[in-house]
Amino acid sequence: MSRAANGPERGLLCALDDVPDGGGHGVPDVADVADVSDVPDVADVSDVPDVADGKTDLAANGTATGAANGASRDGIDPSCAIVIVRRGDDAWAYRNVCPHFSIPLNYEPDTFWAYDAQWLMCAHHSAMFRFEDGMCVDGPCEGAALTAIPVRIVDRKVFKRDNEEET
């Protein structure tokens, strides 16, 4: 993860506050969106359950999108092609694909399981991935890792970092 003082809106994934602290939030891949106005609205963080108990279902919104509406590509709901996890002012992003069976980490649209603000769990086979590096530390794909999406945070907004950008 890198931070920059200023930057264009190109590559905007979501506001940092749209990702529940200690949880996850699914967003479309901006490379797959023709125009930023095509990006679906994201829920207000106040709509997300508190994660103080260390184990919670982190649904950012209750609307069925993507695969539920027949808009999936390669079995991945395009509205949740990327999962962003957050701890405080830090965020990490990964392709929403479990390395175990190449299926989405979530079972329902934009519903991700996180534990102790440290691990993201695959809803299908309970593989546990560290927030910091996407490494599977427990489960059927232990030792494998999620595919990282480099991001930068500017003015509390999470942007997909271009390959040309300095880390």
Side-chain angles (χ1 to χ4, degrees), residues 107-159:
Y107 182 72
E108 296 178 9
D110 201 20
T111 301
F112 295 91
W113 287 89
Y115 292 84
D116 298 329
Q118 296 182 55
W119 301 286
L120 176 66
M121 185 181 84
C122 176
H124 300 279
H125 298 106
S126 302
M128 300 291 281
F129 301 93
R130 283 190 302 239
F131 276 20
E132 298 84 11
D133 58 9
M135 182 64 64
C136 181
V137 295
D138 189 32
C141 55
E142 188 170 351
L146 299 172
T147 301
I149 305 293
V151 296
R152 59 189 169 90
I153 300 171
V154 179
D155 298 328
R156 300 198 61 80
K157 295 178 185 173
V158 181
F159 292 87

Side-chain angles (χ1 to χ4, degrees), residues 12-109:
L12 176 65
L13 294 172
C14 69
L16 181 63
D17 293 324
D18 289 335
V19 183
D21 193 359
H25 177 57
V27 297
D29 186 341
V30 292
D32 295 337
V33 178
D35 183 295
V36 178
S37 65
D38 293 340
V39 178
D41 289 338
V42 290
D44 185 308
V45 73
S46 64
D47 295 335
V48 180
D50 185 10
V51 295
D53 64 0
K55 175 181 172 184
T56 189
D57 178 3
L58 298 170
N61 67 37
T63 59
T65 59
N69 295 330
S72 66
R73 184 188 76 211
D74 300 329
I76 304 300
D77 176 354
S79 70
C80 289
I82 295 174
V83 58
I84 302 172
V85 292
R86 173 183 170 206
R87 183 181 315 117
D89 290 334
D90 294 323
W92 301 268
Y94 301 98
R95 292 259 170 237
N96 183 14
V97 179
C98 180
H100 179 217
F101 272 151
S102 297
I103 56 177
L105 296 162
N106 57 317
Y107 182 72
E108 296 178 9

